Amino acid sequence: MGSTEYINRVLKNIKKISPRQPIFYQAATEVLNNLKPLFDRESKYQKHAILERIIMPEKTTIFRTVYINDAGKACVHFGYRVEFNSAIGPYKGGLRFHPTVNLDVLKFLGFEQIFKNSLTGLNIGGAKGGANFDPKGKSDGEIMRFCQSFMNELAKLIGDVKDVPAGDIGVGGREIGYMYGQYKKLTSRFDGALTGKGLSWGGSLARTEATGYGCVYFADEMLKTKKQELKGKKCVVSGAGNVAIYTVEKLYQYGALPLTVSDSTGYVYDKDGIDLDLLKKLKEVDRVSLKEYVKEKKQAKFVPVSDYKTGRNGVWDIPCYAAFPSATQNELNLEDAKTLYNNGCRLVCEGANMPSNLEAIEFFLSKKDFCFGPGKAANAGGVATSALEMAQNASMSSWSFEEVDNKLKNIMKHIFDISYETSKEFNDAGNIVLGANIAGFRKVADAMIDQGYV
């Protein structure tokens, strides 16, 4: 069977066995369609039914999580862990606490995590988990009780050489701490079963900064191929969490000018450049809306979500040279892509997971003067540094910020190099989407073949 027919058959089967999961299907479509050149060359992957196996999680666990809120009422949520692939190492992938969490979202994230983790060159498999719980507006006591209840079930699955979750949207140091405390109580173990831990009890320096820093390192590598640099370039950033904050920080270190950040209430445009200290105060200390930004920065403009065009994120209307979508999936569509390009943007580097939809990606790739860094490559710095935390835990050591940051920078260069060289190998030099998908898949698929039908 030809590669196109085979891949189309597998995609059709995904719709059949995973109905009403459009986000997972979108991610699978993007990956599988980019594998056609590899399948044209190598028959072994079809022979060993790698696609049929890799699109199905090795284990999916869904459990009930109940906690008592401050009013004494029992609150019930779904908890999930999707352990997708362990061919090259223990499952690794974050936990997301957000009202939008469901099996579709977590399968998409876990599937992407397989290839992202593979690209790092580290021995980690792919997984994802979380709950449809919203930490926003909850007291510390409510969050602690939820995390403890969630861990009562999750502890049955995880371990330092088995499955190592980290944080994601809605899960920061506070939530990791509460979960780890319950994990210790349940297992009587102090090991590296979670990453993103506090610095005084096994965490790694530079973990908070890693995804944002890594995304900028990747953008710099892309620009080098065009004999360009970030210095002096105007940039737009979406999001206002760790990824966005530390993308802004690293952009300043590279001499660029970040003009925007956004959250669920709207976006801030500051023509003088985002005030990093104020941003950190609002989001890391006060935990308030970005609309508070303009109370201290009168020259800045806050645009509420209600003013956005339907289906659009207003951030992408701001003229720039480089854009860093760092909020959530499918936040950048075809209209956004065209607006960015027409306004002078020549680089998009994804800090979030799949923030650009398929039509936007196709548009970017059609422009020969454009650099596009897909999330599975560009935002791998977070999971890479989580794996570095695992290494520190295993050796009972602690590395300096500079050591971790240097390792992170080298990992991001490795990811770019292997993606770029693979794109050249398959006669599409500079198509990092193609290169990253093939390079990430090939390593995992070869390991699956070596290990037999398991």
Side-chain angles (χ1 to χ4, degrees):
M1 184 183 297
S3 64
T4 299
E5 184 182 357
Y6 173 53
I7 287 169
N8 287 341
R9 188 187 72 180
V10 173
L11 288 171
K12 184 178 180 180
N13 193 45
I14 292 174
K15 282 190 172 181
K16 183 178 179 180
I17 64 175
S18 300
R20 294 179 296 279
Q21 295 181 5
I23 301 176
F24 171 53
Y25 185 76
Q26 177 185 338
T29 300
E30 188 262 333
V31 173
L32 269 58
N33 281 335
N34 276 280
L35 298 177
K36 288 177 182 178
L38 176 64
F39 278 71
D40 286 338
R41 180 187 297 184
E42 297 275 4
S43 63
K44 62 180 180 179
Y45 301 117
Q46 187 171 340
K47 174 185 173 182
H48 290 280
I50 294 298
L51 289 188
E52 291 90 338
R53 294 158 61 192
I54 207 167
I55 57 122
M56 187 176 294
E58 292 173 3
K59 182 188 293 183
T60 301
T61 305
I62 304 175
F63 51 91
R64 182 178 64 202
T65 302
V66 185
Y67 78 101
I68 305 300
N69 69 14
D70 290 344
K73 180 182 177 182
C75 301
V76 186
H77 295 274
F78 277 110
Y80 304 86
R81 188 63 176 170
V82 180
E83 296 173 320
F84 230 113
N85 193 286
S86 59
I88 62 172
Y91 303 110
K92 187 85 187 81
L95 299 170
R96 177 176 292 192
F97 292 168
H98 194 271
T100 60
V101 166
N102 56 38
L103 190 57
D104 181 25
V105 169
L106 294 178
K107 283 178 69 176
F108 136 61
L109 292 167
F111 186 68
E112 285 282 292
Q113 201 76 45
I114 301 169
F115 312 109
K116 180 189 302 186
N117 292 1
S118 172
L119 286 168
T120 66
L122 304 170
N123 295 322
I124 43 178
K128 209 72 180 184
N132 61 338
F133 167 78
D134 190 356
K136 287 184 179 178
K138 306 292 193 302
S139 70
D140 284 351
E142 288 173 319
I143 291 170
M144 180 182 70
R145 292 190 291 275
F146 174 82
C147 289
Q148 289 170 341
S149 178
F150 183 83
M151 182 52 72
N152 286 341
E153 294 299 322
L154 188 68
K156 301 171 185 177
L157 305 173
I158 66 175
D160 57 344
V161 291
K162 182 181 179 183
D163 183 350
V164 186
D168 193 82
I169 294 172
V171 179
R174 173 182 55 178
E175 290 76 16
I176 293 291
Y178 292 150
M179 284 189 281
Y180 194 74
Q182 187 72 356
Y183 172 80
K184 284 196 306 164
K185 182 177 181 179
L186 293 167
T187 65
S188 299
R189 291 177 60 90
F190 197 114
D191 60 29
L194 286 169
T195 56
K197 299 184 292 298
L199 293 177
S200 62
W201 44 279
S204 175
L205 289 163
R207 175 60 190 92
T208 302
E209 296 86 351
T211 308
Y213 278 22
C215 194
V216 177
Y217 291 148
F218 196 89
D220 182 58
E221 293 296 331
M222 287 196 293
L223 286 178
K224 286 177 182 176
T225 67
K226 305 286 188 181
K227 295 182 170 52
Q228 295 280 339
E229 61 181 357
L230 284 164
K231 185 177 182 180
K233 300 293 195 300
K234 292 181 178 180
C235 305
V236 295
V237 179
S238 68
N242 280 347
V243 181
I245 290 170
Y246 292 98
T247 294
V248 168
E249 182 167 282
K250 184 56 68 171
L251 284 171
Y252 275 126
Q253 292 176 16
Y254 270 67
L257 186 67
L259 299 173
T260 68
V261 285
S262 66
D263 65 12
S264 60
T265 65
Y267 76 89
V268 165
Y269 166 60
D270 191 335
K271 63 182 178 59
D272 296 332
I274 294 297
D275 185 319
L276 182 62
D277 291 336
L278 177 57
L279 176 62
K280 287 183 177 181
K281 177 180 180 296
L282 295 176
K283 289 300 179 180
E284 296 182 336
V285 180
D286 300 340
R287 302 186 186 216
V288 296
S289 164
L290 282 175
K291 62 186 176 183
E292 301 298 317
Y293 184 98
V294 295
K295 292 181 179 179
E296 296 194 38
K297 294 291 179 179
K298 302 300 183 184
Q299 81 283 359
K301 180 181 180 182
F302 176 76
V303 180
V305 169
S306 58
D307 287 357
Y308 292 3
K309 296 178 184 176
T310 303
R312 298 278 316 283
N313 185 336
V315 166
W316 314 127
D317 291 332
I318 304 300
C320 65
Y321 179 85
F324 295 82
S326 306
T328 191
Q329 65 266 15
N330 289 328
E331 60 171 305
L332 198 162
N333 61 30
L334 178 59
E335 186 178 351
D336 298 323
K338 290 179 177 179
T339 299
L340 283 166
Y341 188 82
N342 291 336
N343 282 342
C345 182
R346 291 298 179 266
L347 178 144
V348 166
C349 201
E350 296 187 327
N353 292 300
M354 204 173 71
S356 306
N357 68 20
L358 294 176
E359 292 78 14
I361 293 172
E362 289 176 9
F363 176 83
F364 291 139
L365 294 179
S366 73
K367 302 299 182 182
K368 297 303 180 184
D369 61 342
F370 202 90
C371 294
F372 179 73
K376 66 171 57 68
N379 74 21
V383 72
T385 306
S386 282
L388 297 179
E389 181 177 328
M390 291 167 62
Q392 291 171 78
N393 292 165
S395 63
M396 299 185 71
S397 61
S398 181
W399 303 334
S400 70
F401 187 100
E402 290 72 21
E403 286 178 286
V404 177
D405 193 28
N406 284 333
K407 290 177 187 291
L408 168 63
K409 191 171 185 179
N410 289 333
I411 289 170
M412 298 311 298
K413 185 178 187 309
H414 163 78
I415 294 171
F416 175 79
D417 288 344
I418 193 173
S419 300
Y420 188 77
E421 290 303 316
T422 303
S423 75
K424 290 200 299 183
E425 178 188 347
F426 287 89
N427 303 312
D428 197 357
N431 184 344
I432 305 301
V433 176
L434 177 81
N437 278 310
I438 291 179
F441 171 86
R442 187 158 51 181
K443 178 180 177 181
V444 175
D446 288 347
M448 291 173 69
I449 292 171
D450 289 346
Q451 294 168 25
Y453 296 109
V454 294

